[in-house]
Amino acid sequence: MKIALTIAGSDPTGGAGLQVDLKVFKSFDVYGLSVPSVLTAQNTDGVYDIYELPPLFFSQQIKNLLSDISPDAVKTGMLYSPEIIKITAQKVKEYSLGNLVVDPVTVSSTGVSLIKNDALDTMKDYLFPLAKVITPNIYEATIFTGINIDGTEDMKVAAMKLKDLGPEAVIITGGHLEEVAIDLLWDGKEFLALETERIGGEYHGTGCVFSSSITACLALGYDVRESFVKAKDFVSGAIKTAISIGKGMKILNI
Ligand code: PXL
């Protein structure tokens, strides 16, 4: 059985973070490993507190896990601080981890910051160059490039600029043009834009589900393009059947 690892924050609702990543891995029949980077106190209404694990303990979790098990693909989600990002990058190198998907989580669907300000540059400098693919949404692509994205042409320019930071490929999610939702892949050779019907409303955890789907597909041996197509399909299906489990945002049906 193929194995995928998520290094991400804990979301007790199970709608985002490492909990949803594990569920996605299972949906693709991939065995899931998880290392929490931070814990959050949240419900479907929002994120109320963040507890950063002591860096040394975070590092011990990865060391003990990877000295025993070799995952076929790895995903990073909410890493939050420069220290946690640097340790993650160092472990990726130490254990020669391939198929690394970096989801540069910056803000929750309810607008709470999930990364410290001084960690943005660390993410760019330490982690992006090690990634097979990075999966920023439009907002994150704007933060990391300074480009104001309004339409597919801007997405292309931002994707090229992000690729120059070192990842093998870039997928920008969440573009929209009237009635369609557009996600865009740039692998340095060709663009691939995938369009789906735009579904109204806000859903918790969409970015996590997308990036963990890509990770599962890479673990299964698909290339980035194939993984992108399969992930988009999986996310669209899970959005269409989203469920309301609390008083706040809907959660994808996984
Ligand atoms: O969806 C981004 C995200 C990632 N990771 C954790 C989160 C959230 C959003 O709330 O809580 C742990």
Side-chain angles (χ1 to χ4, degrees):
M1 192 172 207
K2 298 294 184 187
I3 301 173
L5 164 65
T6 173
I7 303 173
S10 160
D11 169 7
T13 72
L18 70 89
Q19 289 87 350
V20 86
D21 293 343
L22 290 174
K23 290 190 272 184
V24 170
F25 295 161
K26 175 73 184 163
S27 302
F28 281 90
D29 264 330
V30 169
Y31 186 86
L33 308 172
S34 57
V35 168
S37 44
V38 294
L39 309 180
T40 66
Q42 64 175 298
N43 56 31
T44 58
D45 258 339
V47 178
Y48 294 94
D49 209 352
I50 294 171
Y51 175 74
E52 202 183 324
L53 291 188
L56 190 60
F57 182 79
F58 172 70
S59 173
Q60 290 292 352
Q61 293 185 90
I62 300 183
K63 178 182 155 206
N64 286 286
L65 190 67
L66 296 185
S67 59
D68 182 29
I69 308 167
S70 298
D72 299 287
V74 181
K75 167 203 155 154
T76 65
M78 177 184 175
L79 298 179
Y80 193 58
S81 73
E83 294 75 22
I84 295 285
I85 293 168
K86 284 183 190 167
I87 292 167
T88 305
Q90 193 260 321
K91 294 295 176 201
V92 167
K93 286 196 245 175
E94 186 181 338
Y95 293 95
S96 307
L97 301 176
N99 285 336
L100 175 68
V101 178
V102 173
D103 183 8
V105 173
T106 56
V107 73
S108 78
S109 24
T110 48
V112 174
S113 179
L114 302 178
I115 189 165
K116 288 182 170 171
N117 277 340
D118 56 349
L120 291 169
D121 281 342
T122 320
M123 177 82 81
K124 261 205 242 187
D125 298 343
Y126 286 75
L127 217 44
F128 283 5
L130 304 177
K132 178 125 190 173
V133 51
I134 61 171
T135 62
N137 60 28
I138 291 271
Y139 173 78
E140 289 152 355
T142 301
I143 290 186
F144 285 107
T145 62
I147 294 170
N148 193 14
I149 299 174
D150 184 19
T152 315
E153 285 313 305
D154 296 336
M155 278 174 99
K156 286 186 176 173
V157 177
M160 288 192 284
K161 198 163 174 186
L162 286 165
K163 169 93 174 70
D164 288 344
L165 297 171
E168 280 179 43
V170 177
I171 299 174
I172 301 180
T173 62
H176 13 85
L177 214 61
E178 292 169 7
E179 294 310 307
V180 289
I182 299 169
D183 295 344
L184 180 79
L185 163 68
W186 169 238
D187 59 8
K189 294 185 206 86
E190 268 182 296
F191 289 104
L192 174 61
L194 295 182
E195 292 183 10
T196 41
E197 176 199 348
R198 199 170 155 192
I199 304 162
E202 287 282 326
Y203 302 89
H204 179 56
T206 314
C208 301
V209 173
F210 180 73
S211 55
S212 50
S213 303
I214 301 249
T215 311
C217 291
L218 291 176
L220 290 168
Y222 294 108
D223 66 21
V224 171
R225 288 173 80 86
E226 292 164 332
S227 300
F228 177 33
V229 172
K230 286 179 186 295
K232 173 102 177 168
D233 206 42
F234 184 80
V235 173
S236 302
I239 291 179
K240 278 188 194 133
T241 53
I243 47 175
S244 219
I245 58 163
K247 301 186 186 79
M249 294 187 87
K250 281 190 176 174
I251 291 207
L252 304 208
N253 182 11
I254 289 156

